[in-house]
Amino acid sequence: MIENQSIYLALSVVLFIIGAAGAVCRRNAIVVFMCIEIMLGGVCIAFVTFSRAHQSLDGIFMVLFVMAVAAAEAAVGLAIFVLMYRKHGSIDLDKFNLLKW
Amino acid sequence: MELVFLLICGGLAVISSLLVIFARSTLHSALWMVFSFFMVAVIYVLLHAQFLAMLQIIVYAGAIMMFIIFAIMMLNLRQEQDSKVNTRVSKVIGVAALIVLFLELMLVSLGHSLSAIQGPITDTLVATHGRVAVISNFLFADYLLPFEVVSILLTAGVIGAVVLAKRVK
């Protein structure tokens, strides 16, 4: 146990839910992408909190790998957005329903 | 003192994350996102993960947000196109489900005490060897294979981005 542990965990939950709500509500693909980054940030705070509480480094490595995956995701995702914009002239997610149902 | 910093920076992180969602222009969203990343970096420092805080600022606030702002500038989005939060019925249902999820997560994360298993990374070990040395010792011994796999992933990401963005004749 570390001091203020419940506040750190509450903060991570709040950030995760804010990110998820933004990903649900917004239609702009880039804003949805940033909301996913907020969700990742919330999860990372939980990882680091548990890592500190248990005196272990595993959570910190998990955050390192999350950062690397987020960087790769940003590169590929933004390339996809550029392609979407080039094809349709917009990145409004409600207009893209080819794979929805 | 730690509690004061935690409350201020955590509150600012939450507020700036909300502003990412509610900002009218995409560029303002991106700038609030940078601020939010800085506040999360402060939280990492409070959790004694200074190395991660530096990486957070360099990788997230530096590299990834530079990518995103670059894309926003390049795409020339019309601001009125997405000026407000969407309020269709399905999205309201989605937000309601998220509120339920929020309550559940709060209950789980605050209602239970963790197991008292303590790992080998004590504060005295970190103080004698230095945090980066301890991290690198573990990273290049126990986590060598995931580390190499991540390098392959990053290479694949870069190649994928180039292939996707290349203009097909």
Side-chain angles (χ1 to χ4, degrees), chain A residues 45-90:
Chain A
I45 290 176
F47 267 126
V48 179
T49 308
F50 289 134
S51 162
R52 169 124 179 94
H54 288 167
Q55 295 184 352
S56 150
L57 281 180
D58 296 340
I60 287 182
F61 290 134
M62 211 50 80
V63 176
L64 280 179
F65 296 138
V66 165
M67 279 181 186
V69 172
E73 179 200 324
V76 177
L78 292 172
I80 290 174
F81 296 157
V82 171
L83 266 190
M84 279 162 70
Y85 186 78
R86 211 182 270 161
K87 265 204 138 122
H88 299 274
S90 121

Coordinates of all heavy atoms in Angstrom, one line a residue, chain A residues 45-90:
Chain A
I45 N -1.6 5.0 -15.7 CA -1.5 5.5 -14.3 C -1.8 4.3 -13.4 O -1.2 4.2 -12.3 CB -2.5 6.7 -14.1 CG1 -2.0 7.9 -14.8 CG2 -2.6 7.0 -12.6 CD1 -2.9 9.1 -14.7
A46 N -2.8 3.5 -13.7 CA -3.2 2.4 -12.8 C -2.0 1.4 -12.8 O -1.6 0.9 -11.7 CB -4.4 1.7 -13.4
F47 N -1.3 1.2 -14.0 CA -0.2 0.3 -14.0 C 0.9 0.8 -13.1 O 1.5 0.0 -12.3 CB 0.3 0.1 -15.4 CG -0.2 -1.0 -16.2 CD1 -0.8 -0.8 -17.4 CD2 -0.1 -2.3 -15.7 CE1 -1.3 -1.9 -18.1 CE2 -0.6 -3.4 -16.4 CZ -1.2 -3.2 -17.6
V48 N 1.2 2.1 -13.2 CA 2.4 2.6 -12.4 C 2.0 2.6 -10.9 O 2.9 2.3 -10.1 CB 2.7 4.0 -12.9 CG1 3.8 4.6 -12.0 CG2 3.1 4.0 -14.3
T49 N 0.7 2.8 -10.6 CA 0.3 2.8 -9.2 C 0.5 1.4 -8.6 O 1.1 1.2 -7.5 CB -1.2 3.2 -9.1 OG1 -1.4 4.4 -9.7 CG2 -1.5 3.3 -7.6
F50 N 0.1 0.4 -9.3 CA 0.2 -1.0 -8.8 C 1.7 -1.4 -8.7 O 2.1 -2.1 -7.8 CB -0.6 -2.0 -9.7 CG -2.0 -1.9 -9.5 CD1 -2.9 -1.8 -10.6 CD2 -2.6 -1.8 -8.2 CE1 -4.2 -1.7 -10.4 CE2 -3.9 -1.7 -8.1 CZ -4.8 -1.7 -9.2
S51 N 2.4 -0.9 -9.8 CA 3.9 -1.2 -9.8 C 4.6 -0.6 -8.5 O 5.4 -1.3 -7.9 CB 4.5 -0.7 -11.0 OG 5.8 -0.5 -11.0
R52 N 4.2 0.6 -8.2 CA 4.8 1.2 -7.0 C 4.3 0.5 -5.7 O 5.1 0.3 -4.8 CB 4.4 2.7 -7.0 CG 4.8 3.4 -5.7 CD 5.6 4.6 -5.9 NE 5.9 5.3 -4.7 CZ 7.0 5.0 -4.0 NH1 7.9 4.1 -4.4 NH2 7.2 5.6 -2.8
A53 N 3.0 0.2 -5.7 CA 2.4 -0.4 -4.5 C 3.1 -1.8 -4.2 O 3.2 -2.2 -3.1 CB 0.9 -0.5 -4.6
H54 N 3.4 -2.5 -5.3 CA 4.0 -3.8 -5.1 C 5.5 -3.9 -5.2 O 6.1 -5.0 -5.3 CB 3.3 -4.8 -6.1 CG 1.9 -5.1 -5.7 ND1 1.1 -5.8 -6.6 CD2 1.2 -4.9 -4.6 CE1 -0.1 -5.9 -6.0 NE2 0.0 -5.3 -4.9
Q55 N 6.1 -2.7 -5.3 CA 7.6 -2.6 -5.4 C 8.1 -3.5 -6.5 O 9.0 -4.3 -6.4 CB 8.2 -3.0 -4.1 CG 7.9 -2.0 -3.0 CD 8.7 -2.4 -1.7 OE1 9.3 -3.4 -1.6 NE2 8.6 -1.5 -0.7
S56 N 7.4 -3.4 -7.7 CA 7.8 -4.2 -8.8 C 8.0 -3.3 -10.0 O 7.5 -2.2 -10.1 CB 6.8 -5.3 -9.0 OG 6.7 -5.6 -10.4
L57 N 8.7 -3.8 -11.0 CA 8.9 -3.0 -12.2 C 8.0 -3.4 -13.4 O 8.1 -2.8 -14.4 CB 10.4 -3.1 -12.7 CG 11.4 -2.2 -11.9 CD1 12.8 -2.4 -12.5 CD2 11.0 -0.8 -12.0
D58 N 7.2 -4.5 -13.2 CA 6.5 -5.0 -14.3 C 5.5 -4.0 -14.9 O 5.4 -3.9 -16.1 CB 5.7 -6.2 -13.8 CG 6.6 -7.3 -13.4 OD1 7.8 -7.3 -13.9 OD2 6.2 -8.3 -12.7
G59 N 4.9 -3.2 -14.0 CA 3.9 -2.2 -14.5 C 4.6 -1.1 -15.3 O 4.1 -0.7 -16.3
I60 N 5.8 -0.8 -14.9 CA 6.5 0.3 -15.6 C 6.9 -0.2 -17.0 O 6.8 0.5 -18.0 CB 7.8 0.7 -14.8 CG1 7.3 1.5 -13.7 CG2 8.8 1.4 -15.7 CD1 8.4 2.1 -12.8
F61 N 7.3 -1.5 -17.1 CA 7.6 -2.1 -18.5 C 6.3 -2.1 -19.3 O 6.4 -1.9 -20.5 CB 8.2 -3.5 -18.3 CG 9.6 -3.4 -17.8 CD1 10.0 -4.3 -16.8 CD2 10.5 -2.5 -18.2 CE1 11.2 -4.2 -16.2 CE2 11.7 -2.4 -17.7 CZ 12.1 -3.3 -16.7
M62 N 5.2 -2.4 -18.6 CA 4.0 -2.5 -19.4 C 3.7 -1.1 -20.0 O 3.3 -1.0 -21.2 CB 2.8 -2.9 -18.5 CG 1.7 -3.6 -19.2 SD 2.3 -5.0 -20.2 CE 2.6 -6.2 -18.9
V63 N 3.9 0.0 -19.2 CA 3.7 1.3 -19.7 C 4.7 1.6 -20.9 O 4.3 2.3 -21.9 CB 3.8 2.4 -18.6 CG1 3.7 3.8 -19.1 CG2 2.8 2.1 -17.5
L64 N 5.9 1.2 -20.7 CA 6.9 1.4 -21.8 C 6.3 0.8 -23.1 O 6.4 1.4 -24.2 CB 8.2 0.7 -21.5 CG 9.1 1.5 -20.6 CD1 10.4 0.7 -20.3 CD2 9.5 2.8 -21.2
F65 N 5.8 -0.5 -23.0 CA 5.3 -1.1 -24.2 C 4.1 -0.5 -24.7 O 3.9 -0.4 -26.0 CB 5.1 -2.6 -24.0 CG 6.4 -3.3 -23.6 CD1 6.5 -4.3 -22.6 CD2 7.6 -3.0 -24.3 CE1 7.7 -4.9 -22.3 CE2 8.7 -3.6 -24.0 CZ 8.8 -4.6 -23.0
V66 N 3.2 0.0 -23.8 CA 2.0 0.8 -24.3 C 2.5 2.0 -25.1 O 1.9 2.3 -26.1 CB 1.2 1.2 -23.1 CG1 0.2 2.2 -23.4 CG2 0.5 -0.1 -22.5
M67 N 3.5 2.7 -24.6 CA 4.0 3.9 -25.3 C 4.4 3.5 -26.7 O 4.1 4.2 -27.7 CB 5.1 4.5 -24.6 CG 4.6 5.4 -23.5 SD 6.0 6.2 -22.7 CE 5.2 7.0 -21.3
A68 N 5.2 2.4 -26.8 CA 5.7 2.0 -28.2 C 4.5 1.6 -29.1 O 4.5 2.0 -30.2 CB 6.6 0.8 -28.0
V69 N 3.6 0.9 -28.5 CA 2.4 0.5 -29.3 C 1.6 1.7 -29.8 O 1.2 1.9 -30.9 CB 1.5 -0.5 -28.6 CG1 0.2 -0.7 -29.3 CG2 2.2 -1.8 -28.4
A70 N 1.5 2.7 -28.8 CA 0.8 4.0 -29.2 C 1.5 4.7 -30.3 O 0.8 5.3 -31.2 CB 0.6 4.8 -27.9
A71 N 2.8 4.7 -30.3 CA 3.6 5.4 -31.3 C 3.3 4.7 -32.7 O 3.0 5.4 -33.7 CB 5.1 5.4 -31.0
A72 N 3.4 3.4 -32.7 CA 3.1 2.7 -34.0 C 1.7 2.9 -34.4 O 1.4 3.1 -35.6 CB 3.4 1.2 -33.8
E73 N 0.8 2.9 -33.4 CA -0.6 3.2 -33.7 C -0.9 4.5 -34.3 O -1.6 4.7 -35.3 CB -1.4 3.0 -32.4 CG -2.9 3.2 -32.5 CD -3.4 3.5 -31.1 OE1 -2.8 2.9 -30.1 OE2 -4.3 4.3 -30.9
A74 N -0.1 5.5 -33.8 CA -0.3 6.9 -34.3 C 0.2 7.0 -35.7 O -0.5 7.6 -36.6 CB 0.5 7.9 -33.4
A75 N 1.3 6.3 -36.0 CA 1.8 6.4 -37.4 C 0.8 5.7 -38.4 O 0.5 6.4 -39.4 CB 3.2 5.6 -37.5
V76 N 0.4 4.5 -38.1 CA -0.5 3.8 -39.0 C -1.9 4.5 -39.0 O -2.5 4.8 -40.1 CB -0.7 2.4 -38.6 CG1 -1.7 1.7 -39.5 CG2 0.6 1.7 -38.7
G77 N -2.4 4.9 -37.8 CA -3.7 5.5 -37.8 C -3.8 6.8 -38.5 O -4.7 7.1 -39.3
L78 N -2.8 7.7 -38.4 CA -2.8 9.0 -39.1 C -2.7 8.8 -40.6 O -3.3 9.5 -41.4 CB -1.8 9.9 -38.5 CG -2.1 10.3 -37.1 CD1 -1.0 11.1 -36.5 CD2 -3.4 11.1 -37.1
A79 N -1.9 7.7 -41.0 CA -1.8 7.4 -42.4 C -3.2 7.0 -42.9 O -3.6 7.4 -44.0 CB -0.8 6.3 -42.7
I80 N -4.0 6.3 -42.1 CA -5.3 5.9 -42.6 C -6.2 7.1 -42.6 O -7.0 7.2 -43.6 CB -5.9 4.8 -41.6 CG1 -5.1 3.5 -41.7 CG2 -7.3 4.6 -41.8 CD1 -5.5 2.5 -40.7
F81 N -6.1 8.0 -41.7 CA -6.9 9.2 -41.7 C -6.6 10.0 -43.0 O -7.6 10.5 -43.6 CB -6.7 10.1 -40.5 CG -7.1 9.5 -39.2 CD1 -6.6 9.9 -38.0 CD2 -8.0 8.4 -39.2 CE1 -6.9 9.3 -36.9 CE2 -8.4 7.8 -38.0 CZ -7.8 8.2 -36.9
V82 N -5.4 10.1 -43.4 CA -5.0 10.9 -44.6 C -5.6 10.2 -45.8 O -6.2 10.9 -46.7 CB -3.5 11.0 -44.7 CG1 -3.1 11.6 -46.1 CG2 -2.9 11.9 -43.6
L83 N -5.6 8.9 -45.8 CA -6.2 8.1 -46.9 C -7.7 8.4 -47.0 O -8.3 8.6 -48.0 CB -6.0 6.6 -46.8 CG -4.8 6.1 -47.5 CD1 -4.8 4.6 -47.4 CD2 -4.7 6.5 -48.9
M84 N -8.4 8.3 -45.8 CA -9.8 8.5 -45.7 C -10.2 9.9 -46.2 O -11.1 10.1 -47.0 CB -10.3 8.4 -44.3 CG -10.5 7.0 -43.8 SD -10.6 6.9 -42.0 CE -12.1 7.7 -41.6
Y85 N -9.4 10.9 -45.8 CA -9.6 12.3 -46.3 C -9.4 12.4 -47.8 O -10.2 13.1 -48.4 CB -8.7 13.2 -45.5 CG -9.0 14.7 -45.8 CD1 -10.1 15.3 -45.1 CD2 -8.2 15.4 -46.6 CE1 -10.4 16.6 -45.4 CE2 -8.5 16.7 -46.9 CZ -9.6 17.3 -46.2 OH -9.9 18.6 -46.5
R86 N -8.4 11.7 -48.3 CA -8.1 11.8 -49.7 C -9.3 11.2 -50.5 O -9.6 11.7 -51.6 CB -6.8 11.1 -50.0 CG -6.0 11.7 -51.1 CD -4.8 10.9 -51.3 NE -3.7 11.4 -50.6 CZ -2.6 10.6 -50.3 NH1 -2.6 9.4 -50.7 NH2 -1.6 11.1 -49.7
K87 N -9.9 10.2 -50.0 CA -10.9 9.5 -50.7 C -12.3 10.2 -50.6 O -13.0 10.3 -51.6 CB -11.1 8.0 -50.2 CG -10.3 7.0 -51.0 CD -10.9 5.7 -50.8 CE -11.0 4.9 -52.1 NZ -10.3 3.6 -52.0
H88 N -12.6 10.6 -49.4 CA -14.0 11.1 -49.2 C -14.0 12.6 -48.8 O -15.1 13.1 -48.7 CB -14.6 10.3 -48.0 CG -14.7 8.9 -48.3 ND1 -15.8 8.3 -49.0 CD2 -13.9 7.8 -48.0 CE1 -15.6 7.0 -49.1 NE2 -14.5 6.7 -48.5
G89 N -12.9 13.2 -48.6 CA -12.9 14.7 -48.3 C -13.4 15.0 -46.9 O -13.7 16.1 -46.6
S90 N -13.4 14.0 -46.0 CA -13.8 14.2 -44.6 C -13.4 13.0 -43.8 O -13.1 12.0 -44.3 CB -15.3 14.4 -44.5 OG -15.9 13.4 -43.7

